Amino acid sequence: MNELFVQIILGISIASVPLIFAATGELLVERSGVLNLGVEGMMIVGAITGFVVQFHFDNALLSLAAAIIAGMSIAAIFAFLTQIMLTNQVATGLALTLFGLGVSAFWGRAYSKVTVDRVDAINVPGLSDLPIVGPLVFSYDPLFYLSILMVILVWYFLNRTKKGLILRAIGDNHDAAHAIGHKVVRYRFIAILFGGAMAGIGGAYLSLVQVPIWVEGMTAGRGWISLALVVFASWQPFKVIVGAIIFGGITILQLHAQGFGVNVDAQYLSMLPYLMTIFVLVTLRIRIKSNTNRVMPSCLGKIFHSTQ
Amino acid sequence: MIRLQTRTDSSTLMVFFSPLLALILTAFSTFVVFFLAGVDGFGAFYVLFIEPLTSLYSFSEMLVKAAPLIMIALGLSIGFRAGVWNIGAEGQYVIGAVAGSAVGLYFYEVEGFWLLPLMSLVAIIAGMSYAGIAAFLRTKYQVNEILVTLMLTYVAILFLSAMVHGPLRDPDGFNFPESRLFHDSATLPIIWQGTRVHIGLAVAVILAFVSYFWINKHITGLQIKISGNAPRAAKFAGFDENKTVWLSLLVSGGVAGLAGVFEATGPIGQLVPHLPSGYGFTAIIVAFLARLNPIGIIFSALLIALTYIGGESAQITYDLPNSITSIFQGMLLFYFLACDILIRYKFVFTFYQRQ
Amino acid sequence: MFKKLFINAIRLFLVASISFLAGGAIAAPTKAAFIYIGPTGDMGWTYQHDVGANYVKKHMGDDVEITTVESVEEGPDAERVMAQLANKGNEIIFTTSFGYMNPTLKAAKRFPNVKFEHATGYKRADNVSTYSARFYEGRHVIGKIAGRMTKSNVIGYIASFPIPEVIRGINASYLAAKSVNPDIQMKIVWVFSWFDPGKEADAAKAMIDQGADIIMQHTDSTAAMMMAEENGIYAFGQASDMGAFGPRAQLTAIIDDWGPYYLQRVRAVRDGTWESADTFDGVREGMVGFSPLSDQLPADVRAMALQAIGELAAGTLHPFTGPVNKQDGSPWLAAGETPPMFPDLLTMDFYVEGIDSKIPQ
């Protein structure tokens, strides 16, 4: 039973990692006041790029680097359009998703019949063999640890560095931030690229770790879930982990329940995370009335143009 | 040194020039994509964009595909003008289809001229109520409607799946997840014999003109326009922001719901799990391509419909993958949005730096 | 004499021109089209239909011109794609997913001269045939192998949608496994999708964690096979040979071999002998086949599997042979009895006795 418990936790963790990556990236983007709805598109481009590079070079680091660069490149289109050409963020984000899904499917046609070496878990000799704690703490793949590290880094950046403070200020009031001389566009541009990089790794996790194959549309809506997750986390990095575990956990647990012969209503159960997100949004707003501190970035999705 | 300067008034020249430029750029990029794919560029271009217009059948199918896009985009454009971002039209479309179809299936034994109007009415109310959730949360708790409508889209699609696997499943259908076929009085009338062009197209075009006049001539339309362009001015003028939010979401939700039941009772003829084919999201593109202009929406919906039909022809004729369509649509929107900057801003070339 | 020569000359001319005309007709290829639900790279269902299409091309060469359209949604687009294919002069169109049933009938009505072939459906017309395979015969064989090869006595089954075809497969493999291993237990997980690699992998993982050491799947991706390979357990390929994704894990694969049927139907159109029919072929006719049995199988298991395949091919074995009770204990088949195709097999909506799970509603 302990063994099963450990395995369930492991399964949930693996399902959560891509969500943590993509959502943490998007969180920083949204904190800077930009809403990028193209996460799904950036993820899938990361997934195909990572897969193709892994197939040809069989080098995990290289494939991940490629996925990051691919995610950033496609995010750069979004950044250029919304920050320089001042386009509407909702429409541009949707276009990015369409474009990413199309490009990846087009490029990936030659790779549907092959498989690659999976990026493996690091087993720490001795430690990994400890009962329960061993597998729970020491037998993940390196990207799992990286995802947690990124959450910590983003938290640290936002709350403990001057640049993080400026980024948040820009997200809350870009006109004021601009007035005191902060480079609004530069900050946002970099934040968007970071979001692209994170979505890229998240996508690559799917095609390199979770199931090392390439399939058209294999992100299967995880980019959209990441968007929900940012809201669910009320723009707080650590809550992304909690949210990812709930979102990933519901899927894994209902599969396990079925395995035990428990009849579950898969469709109704799958609605839960989305309904919970809405619920969080509402309670968040109710709480804000007493605590003006932690809010949704006020400038989220608004176009900034400095009229000099 | 190049710098952007806000125009005091939208440039009329650019209003026409910018879409043209966007089309040219998209066409050029498409050629590049074809070239990379090793396909004869001119031939593929012909198949994608010209051939569907040369046969009556393809042309009629373009109209069929455009009808729901026009309807949903019209509803959305009203909210977008007011700065109300309903991006969950897909969900309202699905809920409308499910609710309307449920009525049709409930009266499966009954024939009557009143059935289709009743189904449409129920679909409109269902779509409105569903979008109304977002309006309620935004006006009461200041919750962002983008996120709520998006979340509700997923819930709606899962709800449809639960319905066609459960209560609305065809009892004689060997447990396959789809509903019964609607009988005649629950099926949309065809307005062009021999094709699938149904009355929904006529409704869509009429709605386009209605909303054109509403936006430009009626006081509530103006209110919406001003709320979007100058929220503070709207407040001073005594326009109620909450009213605008409710109005925008109810209208877009109702129209999307109607489009949903039209699709189920028209081209499909039954409720199937694959009903949501992204029209709700594509309609956002349509609305933006038309720069939220109701009449423009008719044309942009036709253009997008053309890319779908052309994409299928390209697959049939050139064995080009399906994904060409989404690449093309993505690029089209990129260029359109980018070129719009020419309308609102002008590039100022400053050759001499002020010292 | 001159007159005779003249008549002969005319006769010769007529014969020549008729054979010329006939020759001309033969030279024009028959146009056949295939509509797929997924990408041809799914390595399962769609891939195997595409293999069938290529088989036709290989055997008919210049006599056939084949068009394939992939990833056609089952919604409103399907009927248009069929109509466009018909407009392009295709004489026979294969629609290879259940969800195309009503669109196929509508398109067939519009194009009465075009022959349609709908896979896995149950509605026919003068120009619409249906065809499917007795996949449960394949399930019988893998069930027997699984019953012998499992050490934990737990088989994991990844199911897609609770439709008769899937339920037949579950029942057939359970009965077969039980017949060689009375302690067998089957865990069934519904993923409500035909193709979602992430979810299929998660489902496989969940069942492996719960003790399953053999995975069966009625979904189309290779994800479960890869999970089995990685976790050192066994699995069976679905629809096509998935050995490349699980070289050690795959014990055998049930192969959907559509090629010969497609060839026969396209030829029938060419010869003008095509008639609407309902085909439901199995191992005997070659529509259900197996990839080479794995070397992992001990000699006696291999012999048992080959014997079962032989008996299915000879028509002496029916996977559903009484006595069999339904899950609730009520009798279904008496000793030695086999079920009729309709309604029992075609509308199957119950588990057999012994399966510890419920069909989702």
Side-chain angles (χ1 to χ4, degrees), chain B residues 129-151:
Chain B
S129 320
Y130 208 56
I133 299 173
F136 171 76
L137 293 178
R138 160 130 182 212
T139 51
K140 175 100 179 154
Y141 298 112
Q142 298 295 307
V143 174
N144 186 317
E145 75 282 2
I146 297 182
L147 303 161
V148 174
T149 51
L150 183 61
M151 295 304 111

Side-chain angles (χ1 to χ4, degrees), chain A residues 3-4 7-8 10-11 14-15 109 112-116 118 120 209-216 218 220 222 251-252 254-267 270, chain C residues 39-43 47 70-71 185-192 195-199 201-203 205-207 209-210 221-224 226-227 230 244-245 356-361:
Chain A
E3 174 72 8
L4 180 62
Q7 290 303 328
I8 290 177
L10 274 175
I14 289 173
R109 279 168 71 78
S112 57
K113 294 177 178 66
V114 296
T115 176
V116 296
R118 183 175 161 140
D120 256 332
V209 181
Q210 209 166 30
V211 197
I213 47 174
W214 161 253
V215 182
E216 259 185 67
M218 71 183 296
R222 285 178 181 81
T251 314
I252 301 291
Q254 69 102 348
L255 293 173
H256 270 283
Q258 284 196 45
F260 282 120
V262 180
N263 209 5
V264 291
D265 256 322
Q267 286 106 347
S270 308
Chain C
T40 52
D42 71 349
M43 297 316 291
Y47 173 74
E70 62 172 3
S71 301
Q185 194 199 342
M186 191 176 265
K187 289 185 181 290
I188 301 157
V189 169
W190 298 90
V191 293
F192 286 94
F195 192 78
D196 182 343
K199 210 166 178 191
D202 287 342
K205 184 76 174 45
M207 288 186 295
D209 293 343
Q210 291 187 17
S221 92
T222 53
M226 301 185 76
M227 289 309 283
E230 213 163 88
F245 298 88
D356 181 25
S357 186
K358 278 197 183 67
I359 298 174
Q361 281 309 321

Side-chain angles (χ1 to χ4, degrees), chain A residues 87-102:
Chain A
T87 60
N88 178 282
Q89 291 172 10
V90 171
T92 314
L94 284 173
L96 192 69
T97 289
L98 265 178
F99 185 71
L101 286 170

Side-chain angles (χ1 to χ4, degrees), chain C residues 166-229:
Chain C
V166 177
I167 293 168
R168 279 197 301 269
I170 293 171
N171 284 335
S173 46
Y174 177 77
L175 288 174
K178 183 106 179 160
S179 72
V180 296
N181 180 349
D183 299 325
I184 207 78
Q185 194 199 342
M186 191 176 265
K187 289 185 181 290
I188 301 157
V189 169
W190 298 90
V191 293
F192 286 94
S193 169
W194 287 108
F195 192 78
D196 182 343
K199 210 166 178 191
E200 290 169 48
D202 287 342
K205 184 76 174 45
M207 288 186 295
I208 295 167
D209 293 343
Q210 291 187 17
D213 63 354
I214 292 197
I215 298 288
M216 295 180 182
Q217 65 179 70
H218 205 138
T219 48
D220 293 333
S221 92
T222 53
M225 180 60 73
M226 301 185 76
M227 289 309 283
E229 178 78 15

